[in-house]
Amino acid sequence: MIKNFFITFEGIDGSGKSTQAKLLIDKLASINLETLFLREPGGTSISEEIRSVLLNNRKDEMSSRTEALLMCASRAQLTKDIIIPEMKGGKWIVADRYADSTLAYQGGGRGIDLDWLIKVNHFATYGTQPDLTFYIDVDPEIGAKRRYTMVSDRIESAGLEFQKDIRAKYLEIVDKFSERCVTVDGNLSIDEISQIIWRITRDRTSIEKT
Ligand code: ADP
Ligand code: TYD
């Protein structure tokens, strides 16, 4: 029996993580593994309602602490209702964003102390950690160009400097959690990145031995 993995994708807006997360799930499914794709914030009815509060463009300014706590509240519901039971049931879970996004966005972008966020994340995730995290690294200018036709939500509207701060924090996080985090060059083509991710997934999991 192959041990199932919880794999997360991280990166700034427009880095290409959703594209790669979906390609990986297709590959895992093609070798008959039971898979589940998730994207944060969201994934349960309560978490989706929290997502609307978080991402809708509104005239009142949301405090950074409210933003961090709502991200974690959405995560707590998703983790308890879906991630923990589905991992126990043997599914391979691929998530487009998880706890590291709070460290990068609310830590790097909004300037909240990282140690606080790590503690709140630990509470929200019931101590659940991904087995493997792919961080797709791109320059914020490239991320913005790739997203130019898309409508921006409240957080994506915060601008280029904000994305630069997030990227800097991601680089710090990847270094801090280097045992589970792998940086992938997001400037390569979709196909090249997908091949790198598949090779690393095979190397780091038990798929290679099947
Ligand atoms: P994210 O989820 O990180 O915001 P997406 O995966 O939605 O990013 O990609 C944003 C846009 O960039 C999409 O139009 C996608 O097709 C395109 N894209 C994704 N990866 C690449 C890449 N490596 N090179 C060029 N364009 C890409
Ligand atoms: P989404 O449309 O899912 O963006 P993307 O396709 O880029 O992942 O919107 C999620 C937004 O919420 C995105 O700008 C990142 C932000 N976010 C945080 O600020 N903190 C978090 O903990 C999470 C999960 C997301």
Side-chain angles (χ1 to χ4, degrees):
M1 174 83 176
I2 317 176
K3 180 205 167 310
N4 55 321
F5 262 58
F6 174 28
I7 302 172
T8 59
F9 280 79
E10 296 286 351
I12 61 165
D13 298 302
S15 57
K17 24 167 208 51
S18 309
T19 305
Q20 294 301 331
K22 285 177 196 140
L23 287 170
L24 179 61
I25 209 115
D26 289 348
K27 287 206 166 111
L28 293 170
S30 76
I31 55 165
N32 297 321
L33 295 173
E34 291 241 20
T35 58
L36 181 65
F37 176 77
L38 300 172
R39 76 121 164 49
E40 274 214 326
T44 70
S45 64
I46 292 173
S47 307
E48 288 295 329
E49 281 189 43
I50 298 172
R51 178 183 173 91
S52 309
V53 175
L54 275 163
L55 300 186
N56 285 352
N57 285 301
R58 60 181 72 245
K59 74 174 181 349
D60 298 340
E61 198 170 312
M62 185 180 288
S63 104
S64 301
R65 293 185 189 195
T66 304
E67 188 176 277
L69 291 170
L70 286 176
M71 290 293 176
C72 289
S74 162
R75 181 165 306 129
Q77 197 70 37
L78 179 72
T79 305
K80 174 140 197 306
D81 288 357
I82 308 223
I83 297 178
I84 293 174
E86 295 288 9
M87 284 304 290
K88 279 200 185 122
K91 286 237 171 82
W92 286 65
I93 298 183
V94 176
D96 182 353
R97 300 195 180 283
Y98 195 56
D100 296 324
S101 283
T102 301
L103 304 185
Y105 279 72
Q106 282 64 54
R110 305 292 191 208
I112 299 182
D113 175 66
L114 206 62
D115 290 333
W116 267 112
L117 294 174
I118 289 173
K119 283 198 190 101
V120 183
N121 258 340
H122 186 76
F123 182 68
T125 59
Y126 298 77
T128 309
Q129 294 248 19
D131 299 298
L132 178 59
T133 298
F134 289 107
Y135 164 62
I136 317 270
D137 186 52
V138 290
D139 194 273
E141 270 100 2
I142 294 185
K145 265 192 207 130
R146 287 185 187 163
R147 292 192 44 86
Y148 81 106
T149 52
M150 301 179 186
V151 180
S152 290
D153 61 45
R154 190 182 58 83
I155 296 179
E156 285 158 355
S157 310
L160 207 57
E161 284 309 311
F162 182 66
Q163 297 290 329
K164 284 185 183 165
D165 291 341
I166 294 163
R167 184 195 192 190
K169 193 57 82 176
Y170 264 129
L171 294 171
E172 200 182 310
I173 293 163
V174 163
D175 199 43
K176 191 174 172 79
F177 302 109
S178 59
E179 70 297 341
R180 68 170 165 85
C181 294
V182 179
T183 303
V184 182
D185 180 0
N187 298 302
L188 301 172
S189 71
I190 291 177
D191 196 42
E192 284 169 317
I193 298 172
S194 165
Q195 283 179 33
I196 291 169
I197 287 173
W198 185 231
R199 182 176 47 71
I200 294 169
T201 304
R202 289 172 61 100
D203 285 351
R204 294 254 186 147
T205 64
S206 38
I207 296 174
E208 191 61 60
K209 291 149 206 110
T210 59

